[in-house]
Amino acid sequence: MKILSKNYSSLVLFILFAFGANIATAQVKKIFTPRYNETISGDVTMIANNVLSRTATTDYNGEDGNHDFSDNVYVDIDNDPSTFNSSSANLSNPKPNAACLTIESVLLYWAAADKGNIQNGVELDNQPNWNFNEVKLMLPNQVAYTTIVADDIIYRGRDENPHFMNDPYICVKDITSDVQNLNNPFGKYQVANVEAKTGALTSHASSNTGTSGGWQMVVVYSSPSLRMKNITLFDGYAHIKSAAPSIDVLFDGFQTVPNGAVKADVVMGALEGDRDISGDKLQIKNVANTFVDLDAPLRDANNFFNSRITKGPSNGNNNFTDRNPASTNTLGFDASIFPLSNNGNSLITNNQTSATFRITSTQETYGLYLLGLAIEVYKPVLEMIVIGTPSSVTPQANPTNVNFNPEITNSGNDNAENAVLTTTIPPVATLVEPIIGLPSGVSYTFDTNTNVLTFNVANGVFDIGNP
């Protein structure tokens, strides 16, 4: 091919994955909807910490449930009189060897049981001089807090009439731009003033549910060297009781790989899961259309919501302890990201476009506010190298021919079909036709009015492994 320019661009067919959720309405106080939904070359990670414990600054590693105590106190590590609680967690680079790693989305959730003391028939506020939908945030290498206001109050039990159970609330703030503006997004994140009930908590239904509260930061990142994943984060609020029906969450619109192992990670956040009470389960409908129990590192199938902050093998250690305090029993607060155990593709198989999760309980009471799925998908990635001969041209009176030889390879994990490549010949150049040396299955057209050169590529040319 001979043209007098080396400018080029390529048009690649992208498959867009719509993601939806259908959820049974029983016990669902706020319908789960996608907060984030993208297909990227990347992955998801998270950090979290609780705000209620046995002491203000030390780790609690016992096996009791949050309902076993009547004197739980705020965690408070900062010695700052302007805060009534505070805790921190460290975000490390999840893929230190990945090229050009970019932070795509950062969502900060905070949630707590906020039932106040009843005096003269009136429920008092636990923090009269503080708004529950505000927290203080200190980013890495900062020495002062910034007060942030939630973008969305996902649910608040006090807004119901009558007030609901333990008066849970869930708030979320998109802090993506704040994190992206940091010189280094990795380091210590500290959150303060998450309003919650301290001491003991007896619900409006007169059950001893116990205190609970914490914060969770979910981070989506990308790198051209990482595999393609469809990442969707759903939030809402479902309050589960042993006497009530289970709740199903349907993920649909993705496309698993056509062959080989199907790999996926699950993200979860919940309130009021007790360490010492079993019967709470997270299930998935398998390929035989049967709901089966899930387990994860340190999360038994029959006590999945068990007051832990955990991260599965693909995201670090099982117990996430890179935080202050680093309690292994977070007394009613659960946050996790874990790999789906999909041996033999028994849970999610090839060419599958939906998956149904179920939350259920035989004796435990808990509330789910976050459920996400990061699943590997197939997508073509066309990479182009163009070599020009000669490599540089000195302006002169007589035209100079420059030969261009483009090499295009498909480095993705799926075949590219209906591919079209285009480039615009600049006004100072003239295309020398006919173009020679095109591979079989590739044809071209040239619009002399717009100077747009278009290559149409037959299916099969950009199959994986085709040279």
Side-chain angles (χ1 to χ4, degrees), residues 343-363:
N343 295 331
N345 290 353
S346 60
L347 303 180
I348 301 178
T349 191
N350 302 120
N351 292 314
Q352 188 167 323
T353 58
S354 67
T356 302
F357 288 85
R358 171 173 287 181
I359 45 181
T360 186
S361 177
T362 59
Q363 59 178 338

Side-chain angles (χ1 to χ4, degrees), residues 240-262:
I240 310 301
K241 296 185 294 184
S242 59
S246 57
I247 298 173
D248 294 349
V249 181
L250 173 66
F251 289 84
D252 63 5
F254 60 85
Q255 174 73 54
T256 61
V257 293
N259 51 67
V262 176

Side-chain angles (χ1 to χ4, degrees), residues 63-330:
E63 294 299 314
D64 291 309
N66 56 315
H67 59 93
D68 290 329
F69 303 105
S70 61
D71 56 352
N72 287 331
V73 300
Y74 278 135
V75 172
D76 201 6
I77 65 170
D78 61 8
N79 295 315
D80 185 339
S82 71
T83 66
F84 49 84
N85 65 34
S86 57
S87 60
S88 68
N90 296 318
L91 176 67
S92 59
N93 189 335
K95 302 289 182 182
N97 297 322
C100 303
L101 191 141
T102 302
I103 301 297
E104 296 290 339
S105 175
V106 186
L107 297 172
L108 178 64
Y109 293 87
W110 60 97
D114 195 33
K115 179 179 177 291
N117 294 317
I118 307 296
Q119 291 187 9
N120 299 321
V122 178
E123 185 175 340
L124 301 181
D125 199 339
N126 287 302
Q127 298 297 328
N129 299 316
W130 188 257
N131 295 321
F132 75 96
N133 64 329
E134 297 180 358
V135 293
K136 291 190 173 187
L137 174 65
M138 192 184 304
L139 301 175
N141 298 315
Q142 293 182 349
V143 296
Y145 288 109
T146 298
T147 298
I148 62 173
V149 181
D151 295 327
D152 188 12
I153 301 168
I154 296 172
Y155 176 71
R156 191 188 188 206
R158 289 196 184 196
D159 291 340
E160 293 202 22
N161 186 16
H163 292 182
F164 178 72
M165 294 296 289
N166 54 351
D167 283 343
Y169 75 87
I170 302 93
C171 294
V172 63
K173 176 72 173 181
D174 188 329
I175 60 170
T176 305
S177 59
D178 300 295
V179 176
Q180 289 175 337
N181 289 334
L182 297 173
N183 292 329
N184 182 1
F186 305 113
K188 183 175 73 173
Y189 288 78
Q190 191 157 303
V191 178
N193 286 11
V194 178
E195 179 176 313
K197 177 70 171 66
T198 58
L201 195 157
T202 301
S203 74
H204 290 288
S206 300
S207 59
N208 179 19
T209 59
T211 63
S212 58
W215 58 271
Q216 181 176 11
M217 192 176 85
V218 183
V219 181
V220 179
Y221 57 92
S222 67
S223 165
S225 63
L226 297 178
R227 286 185 175 272
M228 297 298 303
K229 284 193 173 184
N230 180 278
I231 300 172
T232 296
L233 304 170
F234 283 85
D235 55 42
Y237 189 68
H239 194 87
I240 310 301
K241 296 185 294 184
S242 59
S246 57
I247 298 173
D248 294 349
V249 181
L250 173 66
F251 289 84
D252 63 5
F254 60 85
Q255 174 73 54
T256 61
V257 293
N259 51 67
V262 176
K263 299 177 181 179
D265 288 337
V266 180
V267 185
M268 178 271 292
L271 272 179
E272 230 303 278
D274 294 291
R275 175 66 57 87
D276 61 342
I277 299 180
S278 61
D280 45 286
K281 297 181 178 184
L282 179 64
Q283 300 178 322
I284 189 171
K285 183 184 287 186
N286 64 14
V287 295
N289 289 323
T290 301
F291 280 99
V292 295
D293 299 340
L294 294 179
D295 59 11
L298 298 177
R299 295 187 181 275
D300 185 82
N302 197 41
N303 190 13
F304 195 88
F305 302 92
N306 62 1
S307 294
R308 291 185 187 273
I309 298 174
T310 58
K311 296 172 71 172
S314 63
N315 282 272
N317 296 323
N318 294 335
N319 266 320
F320 173 60
T321 57
D322 193 8
R323 51 192 174 90
N324 184 21
S327 301
T328 56
N329 184 341
T330 45

